Amino acid sequence: MSHQNAPLTRGWFTANELAGLPGVPGTPQNVRAYAKRHAWEGQRRLGTKAVEYAFAVLPAETQNALLMRSAADAEPETVTASDEPAEAERPEQRALTEKQRRVMGARVAFVREIQRMTQHVTQARAIQTLLTLAETDDLSPYLAERVVLANDRKTATRTLSERTLKRWIADYKKHGERGLAPKRQKADMSVPAWAGELLKRYQRPQKPTVEAAYQQLVEQTEPPHPSIHQVRRWLAKLSPETRERGRMGAHELKTLQPFKRRKADTLWPNDCWVADGHTFDAEVINPLTGQAFRPEITLVIDWGTRRIVGFALNLAESTLATLDALRDAVSRAGMFNLFYVDNGSGFDNTTVYEVVDRLGGTITHSLPYNSQARGVIERAHRSILVQLAKTLPSYIGADMDKEAGTRAHRLSRRDIAAGLKPKQIPTFQAFYDSLCSAIDQYNHRPHRGLPKIRDLDTGNLRHRSPMEAWTSAEAEGFEALTAPAGVVASLMRPQETRKTHRGEVRINSGLYFLDALRDFHGEEIRVAWDYRDTGAVGIYSLDGEWIGEAILDGNATPAMPQSMIERAAEKREKGQLNRLVRKAKTLTGGDVQLTRVESARPESNARRVEEARASAKQLANDEPKFQIPQDKVARYRLWYRLEAQLQAGEALPADAQRWHEHYRNHSDFKAIAKVMDSEMDASGRQPTRTRRAV
């Protein structure tokens, strides 16, 4: 007769639950009669009329059957913290491996089952019951799956034993669950005696191989020596940072160390500018020498919006490149608060400090060998400059194909030596145009460092572009502070102290003249110069008061008047002809007349140059088409030139007149006028601010 399974933990069983078990009758009625005959201890089960009997009064055979049925039906139970010793804390288990935790859990299952059984029988009887079930393969599926795992042995026969179960129980009582985790032999991290000598030969900037360092160790030190396998195993135990120290410099070693991510979510535009120079990874034709060279490009990026606000080109990273980049950035984007740069000579100098201070900003430097701190500009170099260099045939980066690079270098040098324009190397103007285009594309391309927005065209989420971030900040109330154009022009030009002499001042191998300097003869003044425009320099007193603008060779005149030279030449020619006539009369004895015969001879170079200039001027005057420049500043200057012509009473073409009337109301004209109006000097001439590839 079938019977219902009753949990052993309750300790009381009804006649229906006992019927059919070994040692008792097979029906509930007979079980009740049997219990009454043997005077079993009984009680009425709560909520029912059934009578239940204690486990202790049952026959031994019945008790064994109940124990075995309980072990066979064992299921995983939740372990409460109160069941474990106080010293067994969960944080200690974090040091365990995954396999140790699985073995520990399997052993806990057997310990828990024995604890449940010992509530009614002795521990020895409970252990014996489990062993019997294990031998007959009658354990529950849950416990049967954990027998092999709990043993944690590599032998073929892995089963339970009385000694093993008792050891698990003792370890659990003493150490809790943590005591049931198997011990794992840790790697021997002791430093062998030969380690120091090996590292001296291995940790070198030349980065020798393990075999090379080991060979030197064997040849240069006394035995005993380790084997190459021992050396490899010991080096594998070291952390990458420890192993590569000495093989990498302080800068390169940072790539193996933890770092901090700097978030710029709270930065407004112009809060922090980051600048750095980068040697272009492709060759360009130098417009001055005609030779191939790699230009130095200085970029200035706004950290908050990732916008490239300014850039400069030069032969190398220098103070001039920094000042030029600052001038370009301030002219485009306004004033900055913080200027974050490295410790290079182009940034760490008194000239840059003075310019930044007088503009009202603050300059700060990153730590030495810590370019990762300025990763925002380093990433821009790769996104803009490296990608642009890879589009040129003259690319000479490390990943350039060696054969193709050698062929391009050979062909370009052959063309340069022959005075031809090399096809492999772009001109400076072509490079400059492509650089401007690349920077403009970068500023309008989605940037992963900026928040995401919903694209109005596609409806998909995408990152903002730097210009979108800048425009968004302006919509939220940001307004860039602009400096007067005169202040920008004076501060951005480096100033040097020079001594005047009779209205002249010498600087940068040039001699400049200003009539107002006659009152400063022999005194020191301050000269502000611009490497872009060497035709004039600004003159200031030592107190910073503006004196005027000195012109290059402003007092230079011809050594003698041209008319005097022509009269002297004519007189000399006439005298020589008279002497020839007298000599001929002496030889012939009669009168001789000299006749000048005009012969066809090539015209002088000077005359041909003058005619070419006149022809070019005539073509320019005959050109009827009116062209509007693409550059905003150039359009602004064109408007002023047309305005000056109108003020002088000159007539303008219809197209020029129409454009002149409409452009004054354009937003670009009003924006640039704030910066450019104050740059007009007394003669109505404006300094060159438009960037040109010269």
Side-chain angles (χ1 to χ4, degrees):
M1 181 178 180
S2 63
H3 57 276
Q4 299 176 354
N5 293 339
L8 184 65
T9 55
R10 190 166 61 239
W12 294 82
F13 305 91
T14 63
N16 290 336
E17 296 172 345
L18 295 174
L21 291 177
V24 294
T27 63
Q29 296 83 356
N30 293 338
V31 171
R32 285 191 287 269
Y34 185 84
K36 186 175 182 180
R37 264 195 324 270
H38 292 82
W40 286 359
E41 179 184 358
Q43 65 181 11
R44 190 172 298 278
R45 178 169 291 184
L46 294 177
T48 66
K49 296 181 180 180
V51 177
E52 56 183 6
Y53 306 99
F55 178 83
V57 301
L58 300 179
E61 295 178 353
T62 307
Q63 290 181 356
N64 291 337
L66 289 173
L67 290 174
M68 298 179 69
R69 187 175 66 183
S70 175
D73 297 336
E75 296 294 340
E77 297 182 5
T78 303
V79 180
T80 59
S82 58
D83 296 332
E84 300 181 8
E87 62 271 18
E89 298 294 339
R90 289 295 179 185
E92 296 181 1
Q93 299 183 7
R94 297 175 183 173
L96 300 177
T97 64
E98 180 63 25
K99 184 176 181 180
Q100 284 179 300
R101 281 191 289 269
R102 289 191 285 107
V103 173
M104 180 184 69
R107 293 177 178 179
V108 168
F110 286 98
V111 173
R112 290 298 193 189
E113 184 62 27
I114 293 175
Q115 287 180 341
R116 287 191 292 269
M117 297 171 67
T118 53
Q119 295 178 5
H120 308 285
V121 296
T122 62
Q123 178 178 302
R125 188 174 177 184
I127 293 175
Q128 188 60 42
T129 302
L130 286 178
L131 296 177
T132 302
L133 292 174
E135 291 177 357
T136 58
D137 293 332
D138 291 331
L139 286 173
S140 67
Y142 173 72
L143 292 179
E145 292 176 358
R146 281 153 180 77
V147 172
V148 176
L149 184 60
N151 274 274
D152 190 30
R153 297 176 182 273
K154 296 182 180 181
T155 57
T157 57
R158 287 173 287 181
T159 183
L160 298 176
S161 67
E162 181 180 358
R163 182 177 179 180
T164 299
L165 292 175
K166 288 182 177 180
R167 186 179 72 251
W168 291 349
I169 295 173
D171 292 340
Y172 181 80
K173 290 180 178 179
K174 187 175 181 180
H175 303 290
E177 286 187 357
R178 183 65 177 82
L180 297 179
K183 294 181 175 55
R184 290 287 182 263
Q185 184 177 2
K186 296 183 179 180
D188 183 12
M189 300 304 296
S190 60
V191 180
W194 44 264
E197 295 295 332
L198 174 70
L199 293 180
K200 288 180 182 179
R201 294 158 176 81
Y202 182 72
Q203 293 180 335
R204 299 172 59 194
Q206 294 81 2
K207 295 184 179 180
T209 62
V210 178
E211 290 82 356
Y214 175 75
Q215 187 64 29
Q216 291 182 354
L217 177 69
V218 173
E219 295 175 354
Q220 300 174 6
T221 60
E222 297 294 333
H225 299 122
S227 65
I228 185 64
H229 305 291
Q230 289 177 298
V231 170
R232 290 184 180 278
R233 286 194 297 268
W234 184 77
L235 288 176
K237 297 177 183 179
L238 302 179
S239 66
E241 180 182 356
T242 303
R243 183 173 60 250
E244 299 301 322
R245 190 177 302 277
R247 296 169 64 87
M248 296 181 176
H251 176 74
E252 189 179 2
L253 197 62
K254 286 182 177 291
T255 59
L256 304 177
Q257 299 172 349
F259 64 96
K260 294 182 179 179
R261 290 190 179 275
R262 294 185 175 181
K263 304 187 67 176
D265 300 343
T266 59
L267 292 179
W268 282 82
N270 290 349
D271 274 354
C272 181
W273 285 359
V274 187
D276 196 11
H278 175 82
T279 303
F280 197 56
D281 292 331
E283 292 183 328
V284 179
I285 294 298
N286 192 321
L288 301 178
T289 64
Q291 302 297 316
F293 85 115
R294 297 172 60 188
E296 180 76 14
I297 306 174
T298 302
L299 294 183
V300 181
I301 189 173
D302 178 70
W303 199 336
T305 62
R306 304 304 201 275
R307 174 190 174 187
I308 302 297
V309 294
F311 70 98
L313 300 175
N314 214 303
L315 297 178
E317 183 177 281
S318 61
T319 303
L320 296 180
T322 303
L323 296 180
D324 188 25
L326 268 178
R327 174 188 292 185
D328 186 51
V330 171
S331 301
R332 293 172 184 263
M335 301 294 293
F336 61 92
N337 293 333
L338 188 66
F339 194 47
Y340 188 37
V341 294
D342 59 18
N343 296 273
S345 59
F347 301 108
D348 189 8
N349 58 78
T350 56
T351 303
V352 175
Y353 291 160
E354 178 184 1
V355 169
V356 173
D357 289 340
R358 297 180 67 182
L359 284 173
T362 303
I363 187 171
T364 182
H365 299 274
S366 61
L367 296 176
Y369 303 104
N370 194 32
S371 60
Q372 292 86 350
R374 292 172 291 101
V376 62
I377 190 66
E378 300 289 346
R379 188 65 181 85
H381 286 166
R382 294 197 299 271
S383 300
I384 303 174
L385 304 182
V386 175
Q387 294 301 323
L388 174 61
K390 289 188 175 183
T391 63
L392 302 178
S394 59
Y395 176 66
I396 55 175
D399 53 347
M400 177 66 173
D401 179 68
K402 184 177 180 181
E403 181 180 355
T406 302
R407 181 172 59 254
H409 182 273
R410 183 176 64 253
L411 295 177
S412 63
R413 293 319 186 268
R414 182 195 63 186
D415 293 342
I416 292 176
L420 303 176
K421 178 182 176 181
K423 299 179 180 179
Q424 297 77 16
I425 304 180
T427 62
F428 193 81
Q429 184 64 49
F431 157 69
Y432 175 78
D433 294 340
S434 61
L435 175 62
C436 293
S437 176
I439 292 178
D440 185 67
Q441 292 177 8
Y442 168 85
N443 284 336
H444 291 84
R445 186 170 59 238
H447 195 290
R448 289 187 299 175
L450 298 175
K452 286 187 175 182
I453 59 174
R454 182 74 62 179
D455 191 281
L456 298 179
D457 296 331
T458 63
N460 299 328
L461 284 176
R462 64 168 177 82
H463 292 280
R464 281 178 174 169
S465 68
M467 292 305 299
E468 288 175 337
W470 190 281
T471 306
S472 176
E474 290 179 337
E476 295 177 9
F478 165 75
E479 184 177 357
L481 299 176
T482 57
V487 176
V488 173
S490 63
L491 290 181
M492 289 301 164
R493 291 192 294 181
Q495 298 184 6
E496 297 185 19
T497 302
R498 290 289 187 272
K499 183 177 291 187
T500 66
H501 180 74
R502 301 175 63 183
E504 295 179 336
V505 61
R506 187 180 297 274
I507 187 172
N508 295 337
S509 302
L511 193 62
Y512 296 84
F513 175 79
L514 178 63
D515 186 69
L517 289 178
R518 66 171 63 206
D519 299 331
F520 295 87
H521 173 70
E523 298 181 10
E524 289 186 342
I525 58 172
R526 296 169 63 181
V527 182
W529 54 277
D530 186 356
Y531 77 98
R532 288 182 175 274
D533 184 11
T534 59
V537 294
I539 305 298
Y540 297 83
S541 66
L542 293 180
D543 297 332
E545 182 180 357
W546 170 258
I547 298 176
E549 192 171 68
I551 306 301
L552 178 65
D553 298 330
N555 59 338
T557 59
M560 294 297 293
Q562 186 65 24
S563 60
M564 182 180 295
I565 296 177
E566 291 176 354
R567 287 197 302 269
E570 184 179 354
K571 182 179 180 181
R572 183 176 63 253
E573 181 181 354
K574 187 176 181 180
Q576 291 177 350
L577 291 176
N578 290 334
R579 286 193 294 271
L580 287 176
V581 170
R582 288 196 300 268
K583 187 174 182 180
K585 185 177 181 179
T586 301
L587 294 175
T588 60
D591 295 334
V592 178
Q593 183 179 2
L594 294 179
T595 303
R596 181 175 181 179
V597 180
E598 298 290 341
S599 60
R601 54 188 179 89
E603 298 176 346
S604 63
N605 291 335
R607 184 176 180 181
R608 283 188 293 176
V609 170
E610 290 298 330
E611 291 181 356
R613 289 178 177 173
S615 177
K617 186 176 181 180
Q618 182 65 28
L619 290 176
N621 294 334
D622 295 340
E623 182 64 32
K625 185 177 180 181
F626 173 73
Q627 295 183 351
I628 301 175
Q630 296 296 325
D631 185 72
K632 297 180 181 179
V633 180
R635 291 197 296 269
Y636 180 86
R637 292 196 176 115
L638 175 60
W639 187 91
Y640 258 108
R641 288 198 297 271
L642 297 178
E643 178 71 12
Q645 294 178 14
L646 290 175
Q647 295 295 335
E650 299 179 11
L652 297 179
D655 294 341
Q657 180 70 26
R658 190 182 311 110
W659 179 83
H660 175 270
E661 294 176 357
H662 292 286
Y663 184 69
R664 70 173 66 197
N665 299 322
H666 198 276
S667 59
D668 290 346
F669 177 86
K670 297 178 180 179
I672 299 176
K674 296 180 181 179
V675 179
M676 301 293 290
D677 279 350
S678 58
E679 291 190 352
M680 298 289 294
D681 56 17
S683 61
R685 185 164 55 87
Q686 297 177 354
T688 303
R689 295 178 57 86
T690 305
R691 184 181 300 278
R692 295 176 298 169
V694 296

